[in-house]
Amino acid sequence: MMSKVRFSAVLLAALFVFSPALFGQESSGGFFGARENVLGIQFEHNWTNSVNSDENAVDLTYSNHGQNMDFDFGIQFASKRQSFFSYARYKIFDGYRGWFGPCNFTELENFSDISFRQHWFAGLAGRVHFNDVFSFQGSSLIGVRGSTFKRIRGLDPVFRKDVAGDFSFSARPWHYKNDVEISAGISSWEMFWHPLFFAPIFFVSASGSVSDSVRIKSFVGMRTFDYFGISAMNEGVTLKIGAEVLF
Amino acid sequence: MKKALLKRILGKTSFSILTLATVLMVGFLSGCSFGWDEFFYRKNSVNSRSDRILDLDGTGGAPQTGGRSCYSVVFFSDIHIGGKENDPDVLIDWMRVQKPLLEEEGFPLEFAVCAGDLTYSGIRSEYKDYAAMGERMERLAGVRLYSVLGNHDVYNSGWDEYRDLVFPYSSYYRFTTPSGESSLSWYFLDTASATLGTEQLEDLFFRFKHDSNRKVVVTHFPLLLKSSMYYCLQNIDERDMLIDEFCRNDVKIILTGHAHIEDGYTYGDYFKEVNLESYIKNYAAAVLYVDVKNGTFRVRTFHL
């Protein structure tokens, strides 16, 4: 019975199709015929009640939007970590109403001089356009994340199964004028193998073109609760602002 | 029979989804006593609860171990006063029986520790019953009770009641059990919100830096368990920092609860984590045998 429940939880998680906001890559072009290559820079600040409090970060990203594959990778320099991440989406179905296919995410993270972390995730991603204005996108990923403790001799690496995913609704009310897009949704990086648990970030993001090849982006996220709203784990606010060059 | 029929009618996938929906609904409804009005905001965040450690040494609040290097401590967790199947008098009676036996073994019983979830829903009547249990324990078994805050204890803004009723009226405190040059420091941390928060974390590392004693740490949330990550501290940045600091600052053992199962983790040659079965339903309690001089800590679990 429990395996069925777990399977159902994973199935539901699979419905949380992708919002790349999870990885700081929210709708970086591609969907409405934008350019193939995107270079981005993003500044991030976190206010939380946990160890990442008042953390600043800079993300440098490159995205390539091909016919059948989108590929993003980036480097993050944060006050408490440095990381390299890559994210790829493979469009096995790409129709005029959207696309659907597998995706994978990897990250190598150097956390101060304490631990070195690895994340390997694979899952499904997709996007559906209801019309020219509204769309839904999301992803679900299942994988492993691990910590290797650099300063502690003899302590084995710690690995755990993990589930990540999120979904968002996007609106492009001024699509034909200045390419503005507003999206809102929920992302979660730690859903685990439990139907009652996830630690979501509610977010609103907006992007808009300032010229033919430059676009600005903003993101506001609120981390609020875990354990079904009962106990706050990582309350806080994340702000991001960045710019992309399309070519 | 009915279940099999339902399964056949609905099909396997629909049955699984229906099961999940039922579990979610039951979870939602059973959570109603936990203060759903505080779903998005809860006053008394961990930073406001535990910004600075309360040092019980010299206040009369620390246990008087008489300089002994060998003693014992009763350890239990998740008693959930207000829930079902958790008669606290069973524990007190058992302690009264254990006390002379431990004295004979050369490990006199000095105090008791509860690793959180003292109450079921954090309301005042439950806290009053818990405080009354602590008083009876001291009066009948001669043992003072030290507690940490659990996630159930902050439901319905239960922190106000904890601060008012549960000794030592702080969720972040420490004391020392002196034994010549081999003193032992006991740290009780506030992990009720599944994080220590920035203030407590910074203060803890500062205290560790100026404390060369061996250490015992008591928290509600485990750092790591062999069986499940779900019940552990979820912020892996924080978890990694704690493991690192514990290893480098002579922490020898960490006592935890929350998971309701017997579990734990061994951190190389540095320290051990012991997660005890819940008192509620399992009636589990343990004796921690402390030998400060030799730096050994042995746990023996009982089902009362």
Side-chain angles (χ1 to χ4, degrees):
Chain A
M1 176 59 75
M2 275 314 291
S3 64
K4 286 182 191 303
V5 173
R6 285 176 182 175
F7 174 73
S8 302
V10 173
L11 201 66
L12 273 187
L15 298 175
F16 291 176
V17 223
F18 174 61
S19 157
L22 183 61
F23 311 116
Q25 307 293 304
E26 61 271 14
S27 29
S28 43
F31 293 117
F32 292 93
R35 311 293 177 75
E36 189 173 319
N37 296 291
V38 182
L39 273 178
I41 183 167
Q42 189 162 246
F43 300 94
E44 178 180 329
H45 184 79
N46 291 288
W47 290 276
T48 74
N49 65 1
S50 198
V51 292
N52 296 329
S53 176
D54 300 325
E55 186 177 55
N56 294 300
V58 179
D59 289 355
L60 301 173
T61 56
Y62 167 74
S63 305
N64 180 277
H65 301 279
Q67 184 106 24
N68 297 309
M69 190 179 96
D70 287 349
F71 179 72
D72 307 321
F73 75 88
I75 300 170
Q76 182 182 66
F77 301 98
S79 51
K80 290 170 185 163
R81 81 204 63 225
Q82 303 84 43
S83 71
F84 165 80
F85 54 85
S86 70
Y87 185 72
R89 293 169 290 257
Y90 312 91
K91 299 173 185 172
I92 54 169
F93 168 79
D94 193 2
Y96 84 105
R97 281 292 183 193
W99 59 268
F100 176 80
C103 61
N104 64 274
F105 172 73
T106 62
E107 184 175 29
L108 303 173
E109 184 180 65
N110 188 37
F111 180 55
S112 181
D113 59 346
I114 296 171
S115 68
F116 182 77
R117 291 200 284 260
Q118 315 100 64
H119 311 251
W120 299 286
F121 284 87
L124 297 169
R127 180 161 177 143
V128 177
H129 308 300
F130 300 114
N131 50 43
D132 279 348
V133 176
F134 295 104
S135 63
F136 172 79
Q137 64 178 21
S139 75
S140 68
L141 297 119
I142 298 167
V144 174
R145 59 201 308 204
S147 292
T148 304
F149 292 86
K150 291 187 289 186
R151 290 205 303 222
I152 308 169
R153 280 175 298 150
L155 184 55
D156 293 333
V158 175
F159 290 100
R160 75 180 187 198
K161 290 180 290 185
D162 217 339
V163 179
D166 60 349
F167 64 88
S168 69
F169 289 96
S170 297
R172 294 162 60 89
W174 305 284
H175 169 49
Y176 296 108
K177 291 181 181 173
N178 47 6
D179 199 25
V180 169
E181 177 172 325
I182 298 166
S183 61
I186 299 173
S187 68
S188 177
W189 190 216
E190 293 173 319
M191 290 165 67
F192 305 101
W193 296 93
H194 196 290
L196 296 183
F197 178 86
F198 71 123
I201 299 172
F202 294 93
F203 68 86
V204 176
S205 68
S207 65
S209 298
V210 293
S211 75
D212 191 37
S213 57
V214 177
R215 191 163 60 196
I216 55 168
K217 302 164 61 179
S218 64
F219 172 95
V220 181
M222 188 181 81
R223 295 178 227 196
T224 166
F225 55 78
D226 70 346
Y227 281 95
F228 226 48
I230 289 162
S231 172
M233 176 183 78
N234 203 6
E235 297 164 328
V237 173
T238 297
L239 288 182
K240 297 178 189 178
I241 187 158
E244 290 177 334
V245 178
L246 289 68
F247 58 99
Chain B
M1 183 67 182
K2 280 180 184 171
K3 200 164 106 180
L5 184 66
L6 193 65
K7 212 170 183 175
R8 208 166 58 195
I9 294 168
L10 292 172
K12 280 184 180 176
T13 307
S14 305
F15 183 78
S16 298
I17 290 171
L18 191 67
T19 306
L20 178 70
T22 308
V23 169
L24 286 171
M25 186 57 72
V26 168
F28 180 85
L29 292 174
S30 66
C32 287
S33 63
F34 298 152
W36 277 98
D37 55 316
E38 299 176 326
F39 194 81
F40 285 103
Y41 174 74
R42 198 173 293 274
K43 64 176 186 175
N44 303 319
S45 71
V46 63
N47 277 344
S48 65
R49 294 195 305 262
S50 58
D51 58 334
R52 193 179 168 86
I53 202 163
L54 172 67
D55 201 335
L56 295 182
D57 292 337
T59 66
Q64 305 301 312
T65 54
R68 273 185 286 271
S69 65
C70 291
Y71 59 89
S72 61
V73 175
V74 162
F75 165 44
F76 64 98
S77 184
D78 297 87
I79 189 166
H80 289 286
I81 297 288
K84 292 174 185 169
E85 297 178 60
N86 60 353
D87 180 1
D89 287 333
V90 175
L91 176 67
I92 295 169
D93 290 344
W94 171 77
M95 286 166 75
R96 293 173 72 180
V97 172
Q98 285 297 313
K99 196 166 183 182
L101 299 174
L102 290 165
E103 185 94 35
E104 275 177 30
E105 286 183 64
F107 287 85
L109 177 57
E110 295 293 352
F111 56 94
V113 167
C114 179
D117 278 359
L118 327 174
T119 65
Y120 184 69
S121 53
I123 58 176
R124 190 166 183 82
S125 60
E126 294 171 357
Y127 270 112
K128 276 185 172 175
D129 288 346
Y130 183 82
M133 179 192 79
E135 282 167 20
R136 284 204 305 282
M137 199 177 281
E138 195 156 355
R139 183 162 42 87
L140 300 174
V143 170
R144 179 173 274 182
L145 175 60
Y146 296 88
S147 312
V148 294
L149 201 64
N151 56 306
H152 278 252
D153 304 320
V154 293
Y155 297 158
N156 295 296
S157 295
W159 162 245
D160 294 334
E161 316 302 343
Y162 178 99
R163 190 172 45 184
D164 192 31
L165 295 168
V166 179
F167 177 82
Y169 317 107
S170 168
S171 61
Y172 172 44
Y173 58 97
R174 71 170 176 183
F175 56 72
T176 309
T177 50
S179 179
E181 293 176 2
S182 308
S183 296
L184 187 66
S185 294
W186 292 72
Y187 285 79
F188 296 77
L189 309 185
D190 182 341
T191 59
S193 299
T195 175
L196 274 73
T198 46
E199 304 286 329
Q200 185 179 197
L201 198 72
E202 194 178 322
D203 191 72
L204 179 69
F205 292 170
F206 174 79
R207 305 292 167 180
F208 273 10
K209 200 174 171 184
H210 296 90
D211 182 355
S212 58
N213 293 339
R214 292 183 177 123
K215 299 170 186 69
V216 177
V217 174
V218 185
T219 71
H220 181 59
F221 274 75
L223 294 179
L224 290 172
L225 297 176
K226 288 194 285 281
S227 61
S228 168
M229 292 292 182
Y230 168 65
Y231 294 101
C232 302
L233 282 178
Q234 298 300 338
N235 187 321
I236 59 172
D237 295 351
E238 183 175 80
R239 181 204 69 191
D240 288 358
M241 287 171 74
L242 283 170
I243 291 172
D244 187 71
E245 288 293 323
F246 286 2
C247 287
R248 293 189 304 117
N249 285 284
D250 226 1
V251 170
K252 291 298 174 191
I253 190 165
I254 169 171
L255 308 175
T256 63
H258 187 55
H260 288 216
I261 55 169
E262 188 165 340
D263 202 335
Y265 207 88
T266 302
Y267 298 83
D269 297 329
Y270 294 91
F271 69 98
K272 281 188 177 178
E273 177 165 0
V274 177
N275 189 270
L276 190 61
E277 258 183 294
S278 63
Y279 184 80
I280 190 169
K281 291 184 180 171
N282 299 306
Y283 283 98
V287 173
L288 175 66
Y289 294 84
V290 180
D291 183 340
V292 187
K293 198 172 179 182
N294 295 315
T296 58
F297 301 85
R298 186 163 53 87
V299 176
R300 188 177 169 203
T301 306
F302 296 82
H303 290 91
L304 315 185

